[in-house]
Amino acid sequence: MGDSFGSAWWRGYAAQLRAIADARRPDRLAIMPLDETLKALGKQTELDEGVYDVPLEGIVGTVARAGDFDREFRPRNRALRDRWEYLTRTTADLPPVRLVRLSDMFFVEDGHHRVGIARARGTRTIRARVRWISTVACALRCLTLADLPSKTAERMFLERVPLPDDVRLGLWLDDPADWFRLADSAEAWGFRRMLAGRPVRSREELAGSWWREEVKPVLDQVRQRGLCPPPRDIQAYLSYGLDHA
């Protein structure tokens, strides 16, 4: 696969034209900006993970150069040509690129050209110093800009109903309104529990009890009845528990 600037630029331009012609959302080709993604998902803790090899397919975002590259790090700005071509010719040992990791999404802090050239050459991994940031809502590699409103609603749901980490990994809903319906339902369930003389001491206790005592029994009934539920538990509860209660 050619690593010349012109070849990489034209591949990116052709991909945009194909997306438009196929009536697919062009934003699926857009690189993910870290600030907007963190705003949607909600920042928690931060940790330096050190230096290791990162799969290039997981690098889908940028800290500050959203206008220069697409999601596959093909150049969008012709002014990048000189730097790109210099790096394709250099034989000098270069330091690791710097990345920020949100779950299995990586965002480039320094080294955009090197990531782009490595992808153009078909390389599978790149050496990187990685800073990890944990988030309220789970970051998934497949996220696009169009998914951020739903992830914002998911983050707001989890702030009201802080489910355990192992449950959060399987959450996904397309409609932001569904997250607010679920939060209202969980809090109403907790209120009924308190009226029945079973006090809830924290939101974490409410979330765990709601999942175990309300959501899981519905999922078990769905499976026992041989229905064909959606692939994710939260979608199945929304369809068969909340809507058909």
Side-chain angles (χ1 to χ4, degrees), residues 141-188:
R141 187 184 301 174
C142 61
L143 286 182
T144 68
L145 291 173
D147 298 316
L148 294 187
S150 179
K151 297 302 286 188
T152 298
E154 178 186 336
R155 185 253 305 163
M156 296 172 71
F157 164 81
L158 289 169
E159 289 170 347
R160 294 170 62 183
V161 188
L163 291 166
D165 289 343
D166 59 333
V167 175
R168 295 184 187 207
L169 292 175
L171 300 180
W172 185 279
L173 291 171
D174 291 322
D175 187 349
D178 286 338
W179 288 113
F180 297 112
R181 293 174 60 213
L182 281 170
D184 290 343
S185 176
E187 290 176 344

Side-chain angles (χ1 to χ4, degrees), residues 34-59:
L34 179 65
D35 55 352
E36 291 183 40
T37 307
L38 270 181
K39 183 178 179 181
L41 300 178
K43 181 178 179 179
Q44 291 183 310
T45 57
E46 188 171 329
L47 177 70
D48 184 354
E49 291 189 312
V51 177
Y52 57 90
D53 291 336
V54 171
L56 279 160
E57 65 178 0
I59 305 176

Side-chain angles (χ1 to χ4, degrees), residues 113-158:
H113 293 78
R114 282 173 281 161
V115 170
I117 292 167
R119 293 201 66 155
R121 289 172 172 170
T123 307
R124 302 190 65 172
T125 63
I126 192 167
R127 199 71 173 168
R129 174 168 289 280
V130 181
R131 177 164 54 99
W132 170 67
I133 299 177
S134 66
T135 55
V136 177
C138 187
L140 302 173
R141 187 184 301 174
C142 61
L143 286 182
T144 68
L145 291 173
D147 298 316
L148 294 187
S150 179
K151 297 302 286 188
T152 298
E154 178 186 336
R155 185 253 305 163
M156 296 172 71
F157 164 81
L158 289 169

